[in-house]
Coordinates of all heavy atoms in Angstrom, one line a residue:
A1 N 0.8 -1.2 0.0 CA 0.0 0.0 0.0 C 0.9 1.3 0.0 O 1.9 1.3 0.6 CB -0.9 0.0 1.2
R2 N 0.3 2.3 -0.7 CA 0.9 3.6 -0.6 C 0.3 4.3 0.6 O -0.9 4.5 0.6 CB 0.7 4.4 -1.9 CG 1.4 3.8 -3.1 CD 1.0 4.4 -4.4 NE 0.7 5.8 -4.4 CZ 1.5 6.8 -4.7 NH1 2.8 6.5 -5.0 NH2 1.1 8.0 -4.7
L3 N 1.0 4.7 1.6 CA 0.5 5.2 2.8 C 0.7 6.7 3.0 O 1.8 7.3 2.6 CB 1.1 4.5 4.0 CG 0.9 3.0 4.0 CD1 1.7 2.4 5.1 CD2 -0.6 2.6 4.1
Y4 N -0.2 7.4 3.7 CA 0.0 8.8 4.2 C -0.4 8.8 5.6 O -1.5 8.4 6.1 CB -1.0 9.7 3.4 CG -0.9 11.1 3.9 CD1 0.2 11.9 3.7 CD2 -2.0 11.7 4.5 CE1 0.3 13.2 4.2 CE2 -2.0 13.0 4.9 CZ -0.9 13.8 4.8 OH -0.8 15.1 5.2
L5 N 0.6 9.1 6.5 CA 0.4 9.2 7.9 C 0.1 10.6 8.3 O 0.8 11.6 8.0 CB 1.7 8.8 8.6 CG 2.1 7.3 8.7 CD1 2.1 6.7 7.3 CD2 3.4 7.1 9.4
D6 N -1.0 10.7 9.1 CA -1.4 12.1 9.5 C -0.5 12.6 10.6 O 0.4 11.9 11.0 CB -2.9 12.2 9.8 CG -3.3 11.7 11.2 OD1 -2.4 11.2 11.9 OD2 -4.5 11.8 11.6
E7 N -0.7 13.8 11.0 CA 0.2 14.5 11.9 C 0.3 13.9 13.3 O 1.2 14.2 14.0 CB -0.1 16.0 11.9 CG -1.4 16.4 12.6 CD -1.6 17.9 12.6 OE1 -1.8 18.4 11.5 OE2 -1.5 18.5 13.6
D8 N -0.7 13.1 13.7 CA -0.6 12.5 15.0 C 0.2 11.2 15.0 O 0.4 10.6 16.0 CB -2.0 12.1 15.4 CG -2.9 13.4 15.7 OD1 -2.3 14.4 16.1 OD2 -4.1 13.4 15.4
V9 N 0.7 10.8 13.8 CA 1.6 9.6 13.7 C 3.0 10.1 13.6 O 3.3 10.9 12.8 CB 1.1 8.7 12.5 CG1 2.0 7.5 12.4 CG2 -0.3 8.4 12.6
S10 N 3.9 9.5 14.4 CA 5.3 9.9 14.4 C 5.9 9.7 13.0 O 5.7 8.6 12.4 CB 6.1 9.1 15.4 OG 7.5 9.3 15.2
P11 N 6.7 10.7 12.5 CA 7.3 10.5 11.2 C 8.4 9.4 11.3 O 8.8 8.8 10.3 CB 8.0 11.8 10.9 CG 8.0 12.5 12.2 CD 6.9 12.0 13.1
R12 N 8.8 9.0 12.5 CA 9.7 7.8 12.6 C 9.1 6.6 12.1 O 9.8 5.7 11.6 CB 10.1 7.7 14.1 CG 11.0 8.8 14.6 CD 11.4 8.6 16.0 NE 10.2 8.7 16.8 CZ 10.2 8.5 18.1 NH1 11.3 8.3 18.8 NH2 9.0 8.6 18.8
L13 N 7.7 6.5 12.2 CA 7.1 5.3 11.6 C 7.2 5.3 10.1 O 7.4 4.3 9.5 CB 5.6 5.2 12.1 CG 4.8 4.0 11.6 CD1 5.4 2.7 12.0 CD2 3.3 4.1 12.1
A14 N 7.0 6.5 9.5 CA 7.2 6.6 8.1 C 8.6 6.1 7.6 O 8.7 5.3 6.7 CB 7.0 8.0 7.6
V15 N 9.6 6.5 8.4 CA 11.0 6.1 8.1 C 11.1 4.5 8.2 O 11.6 3.9 7.3 CB 12.0 6.8 9.0 CG1 13.4 6.2 8.8 CG2 12.0 8.3 8.7
A16 N 10.5 4.0 9.3 CA 10.6 2.5 9.5 C 9.9 1.8 8.4 O 10.4 0.8 7.9 CB 10.1 2.2 10.9
L17 N 8.7 2.3 8.0 CA 7.9 1.6 7.0 C 8.7 1.7 5.6 O 8.7 0.7 4.9 CB 6.5 2.2 6.8 CG 5.6 1.9 8.0 CD1 4.4 2.8 7.9 CD2 5.2 0.4 7.9
R18 N 9.3 2.8 5.3 CA 10.1 2.9 4.1 C 11.2 1.9 4.1 O 11.6 1.3 3.0 CB 10.6 4.3 3.9 CG 9.5 5.3 3.4 CD 10.1 6.6 2.9 NE 10.6 7.4 3.9 CZ 10.0 8.3 4.6 NH1 8.7 8.6 4.3 NH2 10.6 9.0 5.5
Q19 N 11.8 1.7 5.2 CA 13.0 0.8 5.3 C 12.6 -0.7 5.0 O 13.4 -1.5 4.6 CB 13.6 0.8 6.7 CG 14.3 2.1 7.0 CD 14.9 2.2 8.4 OE1 14.5 1.5 9.3 NE2 15.8 3.1 8.6
V20 N 11.3 -1.0 5.1 CA 10.8 -2.4 4.8 C 10.0 -2.4 3.5 O 9.3 -3.3 3.2 CB 10.0 -3.0 6.0 CG1 10.9 -3.3 7.1 CG2 8.8 -2.2 6.4
G21 N 10.1 -1.3 2.7 CA 9.6 -1.3 1.4 C 8.3 -0.6 1.1 O 7.8 -0.6 0.0
Y22 N 7.7 0.0 2.2 CA 6.4 0.7 2.0 C 6.6 2.1 1.4 O 7.5 2.8 1.9 CB 5.6 0.8 3.3 CG 5.0 -0.5 3.6 CD1 5.6 -1.4 4.4 CD2 3.7 -0.8 3.2 CE1 5.0 -2.6 4.8 CE2 3.1 -2.0 3.6 CZ 3.8 -2.9 4.3 OH 3.2 -4.1 4.7
D23 N 5.8 2.5 0.5 CA 5.8 3.9 -0.1 C 5.0 4.7 0.9 O 3.8 4.7 0.9 CB 5.2 3.9 -1.5 CG 5.2 5.2 -2.1 OD1 5.5 6.2 -1.5 OD2 4.8 5.3 -3.3
T24 N 5.7 5.5 1.7 CA 5.1 6.2 2.9 C 5.5 7.6 2.9 O 6.7 8.0 2.8 CB 5.5 5.5 4.2 OG1 5.2 4.1 4.1 CG2 4.7 6.1 5.4
E25 N 4.5 8.5 3.1 CA 4.7 9.9 3.3 C 4.0 10.3 4.6 O 3.1 9.7 5.0 CB 4.0 10.7 2.2 CG 4.5 10.5 0.8 CD 5.8 11.2 0.5 OE1 6.3 12.0 1.3 OE2 6.2 11.0 -0.7
S26 N 4.6 11.3 5.3 CA 4.0 11.7 6.6 C 3.6 13.2 6.5 O 4.3 14.0 5.8 CB 4.9 11.4 7.8 OG 5.8 12.4 7.9
A27 N 2.6 13.6 7.2 CA 2.1 15.0 7.2 C 3.2 15.8 7.7 O 3.5 16.9 7.2 CB 0.9 15.1 8.0
Q28 N 3.9 15.4 8.7 CA 5.0 16.2 9.3 C 6.1 16.4 8.3 O 6.7 17.5 8.2 CB 5.5 15.5 10.6 CG 4.5 15.5 11.7 CD 4.9 14.8 12.9 OE1 6.0 14.3 13.0 NE2 4.1 14.9 14.0
E29 N 6.5 15.4 7.6 CA 7.6 15.5 6.6 C 7.2 16.4 5.5 O 8.1 17.1 4.9 CB 8.0 14.1 6.1 CG 8.6 13.2 7.1 CD 8.7 11.8 6.6 OE1 7.9 11.3 5.7 OE2 9.7 11.1 7.0
L30 N 5.9 16.4 5.1 CA 5.5 17.2 4.0 C 5.1 18.7 4.4 O 4.7 19.5 3.5 CB 4.3 16.6 3.3 CG 4.6 15.2 2.7 CD1 3.3 14.5 2.2 CD2 5.6 15.4 1.5
G31 N 5.1 19.0 5.7 CA 4.7 20.3 6.1 C 3.2 20.5 6.2 O 2.8 21.6 6.1
H32 N 2.5 19.4 6.4 CA 1.0 19.5 6.5 C 0.5 19.7 7.9 O -0.7 19.4 8.2 CB 0.4 18.3 5.8 CG 0.7 18.1 4.4 ND1 0.3 17.0 3.7 CD2 1.4 18.9 3.5 CE1 0.7 17.1 2.4 NE2 1.4 18.3 2.3
L33 N 1.3 20.1 8.8 CA 0.9 20.3 10.2 C -0.1 21.4 10.3 O 0.0 22.4 9.6 CB 2.1 20.6 11.1 CG 3.2 19.6 11.2 CD1 4.3 20.0 12.1 CD2 2.6 18.3 11.7
G34 N -1.2 21.1 11.1 CA -2.2 22.1 11.3 C -3.3 22.0 10.2 O -4.3 22.7 10.3

């Protein structure tokens, strides 16, 4: 799955998921806070 983690989910999870092959973006990394 291609995932988008909202701002309440730690961006560390996005990093961990990418390390095991998931296409993951996080709100925090993209500047979508608020």
Side-chain angles (χ1 to χ4, degrees):
R2 292 169 36 91
L3 302 172
Y4 176 66
L5 283 54
D6 81 354
E7 66 183 70
D8 294 324
V9 180
S10 171
R12 291 180 297 180
L13 181 56
V15 172
L17 288 168
R18 282 193 293 268
Q19 289 176 344
V20 294
Y22 284 88
D23 181 352
T24 307
E25 299 279 0
S26 81
Q28 293 177 357
E29 293 170 330
L30 295 172
H32 296 177
L33 297 180

